[in-house]
């Protein structure tokens, strides 16, 4: 497998004054702060879906990002090539962790069995690259929101078959996480919420979500998966009301259903501001309640409601 | 005592087509809906502070409302005259209930003892008017936010003396509510929240709030006060973060501290939209969780964050 | 060409009490109001891009809408089939007008010449259907925002080649509008705005936009295109700042550049509320300034910033 | 007149590392930047109404700020004492300018004549303090929004008598500004806007506002007042729609009415974010259009819509 980022070596710490765009100005991995290295304090993780699957799309255009290794052809083979590009990127960046959804790393098939086979094929390459580079899986997660079957939610879907399909995806992805030595497993709100109360039994859907998470917690124990389960508070995206609105709501829900022992929160900055809170508030609240797990360190624009940095501009792509 | 609204008789139901501004177009008190009168379904209550103490002030002006009976002079005597005006208003309006804060109905004195004596003096007149008109007290509440002592909160104030003063006010007002046969007692968020996390121990303040409410619940039982205690979710007003942000947050808090048996929620429309929810959402959530108590039926402007109807325009007042 | 909506006849007015989901409850086309039929007052127009090209996609999923006639295959042939479906839909709906972008109705080719040939091929079918049904083109418009070349704007793009490409698209689409007897021509803000001031010369970009519109106005005159040119105020979507922020901004801009004679505003409800105004405000402002042209009658959710109705739910599509 | 801030000397520049709360960390008045001192670049001005008349009030309480020199008694005498306190404060702070409203610096009387006499009496003391300290008036302005007569606007009030009263206030305050050597004169939106379109003729009110400003511009010329006139864009505060919504709206309005020669913009940060813009946007826009005049350097909280710093906390005031 050839080099994907030729001419670029390991990214180094050069200090705040550096004008090199490919240098760290503040992150000095080996520097000790209060007796612990920055690497161990921060445990940076590359999000596979943003870094390798984001297209730069927005509601007004299908995207602008061009990646040299995305040449079409067989989707599983392309997925394996992408794994090589990703690990080269992470190795050069020097981040100790990464994380991914099942459907980021391997293509969805026509059936669950085919999707699982695709996942197994790609994971084989992933495992080899983990061994080669020492880069570790922070946590795994399942995409329970992109496929049309999930248009009305996964665990809160009124159709039991969708609930079952989602459970099967989580089961498989927990096994994959175990196999890769992942240090936790994450749940997103996805489409768990409602568009209108006129056709929604909020209490019943909320109870289904709790049951789903309880089953996942039991399976975690059964297979011996290490590390906590995470749940990420998220308002508005994309339903009118997302059940996991903010940290206080999720903590109340977890306690109500006896899930606060095994679950911790994964907090995202933009979700905090969308919910009307400062990010500091959400972190402080979760921390004081003993529920702070992980952090999704993006940022939102409070005037717009989203992060304009999501739309990268590549001048070479024009025309 | 003379008539305060001369020439105005009881307000009647005249149907949706009425052009009479002093008529009900939808509220037909004796009409039965599903076996119960609208009066009993809706149990309308006049908020003393809006109807009789609001000045029409906003941050850019001290207010425009003129009330003929507010002539200055001795504040307790004025308060008694105001009670007569209020009961005439409520009698003519035909609402079965009213509600008030301690400091709306009687003036604050220089000491707690004087404030309590003022309250006793005015309550005597209130009781007489209740007997005379049959209008009942829906609930009582204490103003724990207007006096400068409460600038950093009441139950969550870092100064124990302020906590104690607030408790004394609540104790007295619960006794007054009992004496007047009130059907419940309400707590507002007031200034329970923070302006900045830099000088706030959020967990400790939240625990103090819980302790305060537990003490109030115990005193309710001790004196035999009937009806539930209410707590009103409220974001942003006026602190950067109010602890009682929304229904989900308050329900989680009440359960956490064993208060969900005696407390119910008092939901306000504008507080719902300020927190990023529809009002229907808050009502549905509280209802499904068995926590719906009372409703503050105002409305907010989602483009502004407040209700422009709060600034009444009185053309006679100009110049 | 077979029937696309079999079993569905013309949609009729049945009055407010109708429970038939395929009936008008308020729109009674032939009813005269103040001496003019509702058809002529309202001049309803079907937006081709929403009704026939929208996929139901959102940032979390690629969409859920299935249309029986979208079978893949040659894109120009598919586009012609789609025209037949659309005109059957509009004929049954009874709307007198429709409107479209160049790229909605015919596929983009590899070059401008190929795109224009595609457009010509499809327009031939469109013209035939117009003649057959009597349905008329309200206005035409060019999509200057979806293709990656437009990632940094069209008329305000720092690359002159992009400006030229956009001008060529508008030229062609004006000719198509003339050929189809369109009653006006519309400009959207598209990506005319900025993500950051750090690399933007706002004044210069604004002047380029004015020059672009002046050239379009001159070409309109040259070819004898009837009806006004429209411009649609739009904030935030998708840039941090869109130059056509709201009605007042656009009116000021048009007057500044001598464009207020030939241009009128096309106002959208959701754009009004995103800009912090009520829709009534924007309509009233434009109307009083003699600049009201056309209306995009959608609605936004002021709590979310977008319209949840954009995500249709098709229960048959699940799983 | 005794010292009002005893024990406090001139505030000095001590650099970014200083822990002295009464020191400048960045503002080094005499430091030259690009050939000009920071004093001359920034021309800091103390706003009399915030620094000396703000009470710390919010909609939930009447305020907490205690000033030793505010002892009640004759309001004109108190106003003169306040002038001495203010000039001591400004002298010690080292700011070269200040600014005020007519009603900040001297109390409103029962008639315009009495108000003008009050103003004359206080201005005498102000002039003496200006001479003594060398502190200069940046600009003057009239308060056309706090008195109940202005509840429906000043220049846009439907009552001609209110328009006339406002004009008389501006006339007097322009004369006072001239007398004090002020370097400009400012107009605020005040209550120029509407609560509902149902009783508002927006175009007519806007034309009245233009006429008002044209008259002011003529009087400026007549009396020989130096410096520009300023107008401050402001949305939402306090009407549903303020006519001076943002920089683009105001620039369009000024040009429309031939006022862009003599008027410049006075931009406030919080007003920018309330209007949905970054402050940088408003500054850049005004600057590029040659309309940047002055800056009100506060900040707003985009999650709340107001600045939490407006509610100062004085621990000594409790209980």
């Amino acid at each position: 497998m050839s080099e994907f980022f030729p001419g670029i070596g390991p990214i180094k710490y050069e200090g705040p004054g550096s004008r090199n765009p490919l240098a760290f100005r503040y992150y000095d991995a080996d520097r000790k702060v209060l007796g612990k290295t920055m690497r161990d304090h921060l445990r940076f993780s590359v999000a596979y879906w943003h870094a390798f699957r984001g297209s730069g799309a927005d509601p007004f255009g299908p995207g602008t990002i061009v990646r040299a290794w995305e040449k079409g052809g067989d989707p599983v083979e392309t997925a394996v090539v992408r794994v090589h590009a990703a690990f080269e990127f992470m190795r050069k960046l020097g981040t100790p962790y990464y994380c991914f959804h099942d459907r980021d790393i391997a293509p969805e098939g026509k059936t669950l069995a085919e999707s699982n086979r695709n996942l197994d094929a790609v994971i084989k390459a992933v495992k080899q690259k983990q061994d080669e580079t020492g880069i570790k899986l922070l946590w795994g997660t399942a995409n329970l929101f992109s496929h049309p079957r999930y248009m009305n939610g996964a665990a809160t879907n009124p159709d039991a078959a969708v609930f079952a399909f989602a459970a099967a995806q989580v089961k498989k992805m927990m096994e994959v996480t175990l196999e890769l030595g992942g240090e936790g497993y994450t749940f997103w709100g996805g489409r768990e919420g409602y568009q209108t109360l006129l056709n929604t039994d909020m209490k019943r859907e909320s109870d289904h979500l709790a049951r789903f998470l309880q089953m996942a917690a039991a399976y975690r124990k059964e297979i011996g998966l290490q590390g906590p389960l995470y749940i990420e508070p998220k308002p508005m995206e994309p339903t009118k009301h997302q059940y996991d609105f903010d940290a206080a709501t999720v903590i109340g829900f977890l306690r109500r259903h006896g899930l606060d022992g095994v679950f911790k929160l994964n907090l995202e900055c933009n979700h905090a501001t969308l919910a009307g809170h400062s990010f500091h508030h959400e972190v402080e609240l979760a921390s004081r309640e003993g529920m702070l797990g992980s952090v999704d360190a993006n940022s939102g624009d409070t005037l717009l409601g989203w992060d304009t940095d999501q739309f990268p501009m590549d001048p070479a792509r024009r025309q």
Side-chain angles (χ1 to χ4, degrees), chain A:
Chain A
M1 200 68 66
S2 60
E3 200 175 6
F4 295 89
F5 302 94
I8 295 175
I11 306 304
K12 291 178 185 156
Y13 170 75
E14 296 185 4
S18 172
R19 307 281 297 196
N20 177 4
L22 293 179
F24 291 112
R25 281 179 287 171
Y26 299 99
Y27 177 58
D28 184 5
D30 295 316
R31 182 177 167 195
K32 283 199 174 177
V33 177
L34 299 174
K36 203 158 99 172
T37 62
M38 287 183 80
R39 180 185 292 103
D40 288 339
H41 271 298
L42 294 168
R43 306 209 308 161
F44 277 121
S45 164
V46 168
Y48 204 88
W49 58 101
H50 285 144
F52 292 93
R53 305 310 309 274
S55 64
D58 66 29
F60 301 92
T64 55
I65 295 176
V66 180
R67 295 183 179 92
W69 55 88
E70 301 279 350
K71 292 175 176 157
D74 178 77
V76 175
E77 281 172 26
T78 301
V80 171
V81 174
R82 194 184 294 128
V83 166
H84 283 81
F87 273 84
E88 182 188 327
F89 175 86
M90 298 187 288
R91 183 175 49 75
K92 289 181 171 175
L93 196 57
T95 47
Y97 290 98
Y98 74 110
C99 51
F100 66 89
H101 296 85
D102 49 0
R103 300 303 179 247
D104 302 327
I105 212 147
E108 178 132 23
K110 289 208 190 70
T111 62
L112 181 64
E114 187 185 327
S115 296
N116 286 354
R117 279 195 304 274
N118 290 349
L119 196 48
D120 288 337
V122 180
I123 288 308
K124 210 175 140 185
V126 167
K127 207 170 176 184
Q128 190 184 342
K129 296 305 289 184
Q130 284 196 177
D131 292 344
E132 218 178 286
T133 60
I135 295 168
K136 290 181 288 185
L137 180 61
L138 186 64
W139 40 253
T141 187
N143 179 328
L144 306 178
F145 46 87
S146 293
H147 191 279
R149 83 172 62 86
Y150 295 125
M151 67 185 298
N152 296 315
T156 67
N157 199 298
D159 184 341
V162 177
F163 183 103
F165 200 106
Q169 247 185 275
V170 169
K171 174 180 178 292
K172 174 66 179 175
M173 191 56 201
M174 282 184 142
E175 293 160 5
V176 166
T177 301
L178 178 68
E179 187 181 343
L180 293 175
E183 303 185 8
Y185 186 88
T186 290
F187 292 83
W188 308 98
R191 296 181 191 276
E192 314 295 17
Y194 64 79
Q195 296 294 74
T196 167
L197 284 168
L198 295 177
N199 65 3
T200 303
D201 182 335
M202 186 157 53
K203 180 69 165 55
R204 192 172 175 191
E205 294 200 353
S206 179
D207 287 347
H208 289 184
L209 178 57
R211 188 75 195 99
F212 190 90
L213 298 179
Q214 284 158 350
M215 288 163 70
Y219 194 63
R220 169 185 170 275
K221 197 171 169 187
E222 185 181 326
I223 64 174
L225 182 62
Q226 299 301 306
L229 302 181
Y230 300 110
I231 193 161
E232 175 157 327
K234 181 171 79 153
M236 298 184 187
E237 292 183 331
T239 76
K240 166 77 180 167
H241 180 78
Q242 294 278 129
Y243 293 137
D244 300 331
F245 187 77
D246 62 5
T249 301
V250 173
I251 292 171
F253 170 85
L254 292 173
R255 284 184 178 146
R256 175 72 164 164
H257 295 285
L259 291 160
D260 51 318
V262 66
F263 274 88
K264 300 253 178 268
L265 302 195
N266 182 32
L267 297 170
E268 181 186 305
C269 298
N270 188 43
H271 293 167
T273 50
L274 278 176
H277 305 298
S278 72
F279 186 54
H280 322 86
H281 171 78
E282 292 289 90
V283 169
E284 179 73 6
L285 177 66
S287 174
R288 290 301 176 109
E289 298 286 343
M291 297 294 285
L292 180 58
S294 186
V295 161
D296 185 342
N298 71 354
S299 72
D301 186 312
T302 52
L303 293 175
L304 298 182
W306 62 77
D307 186 353
T308 56
D309 297 341
Q310 286 177 19
F311 310 121
M313 280 171 273
D314 176 350
R317 184 61 197 287
R318 280 201 222 105
Q319 237 277 307

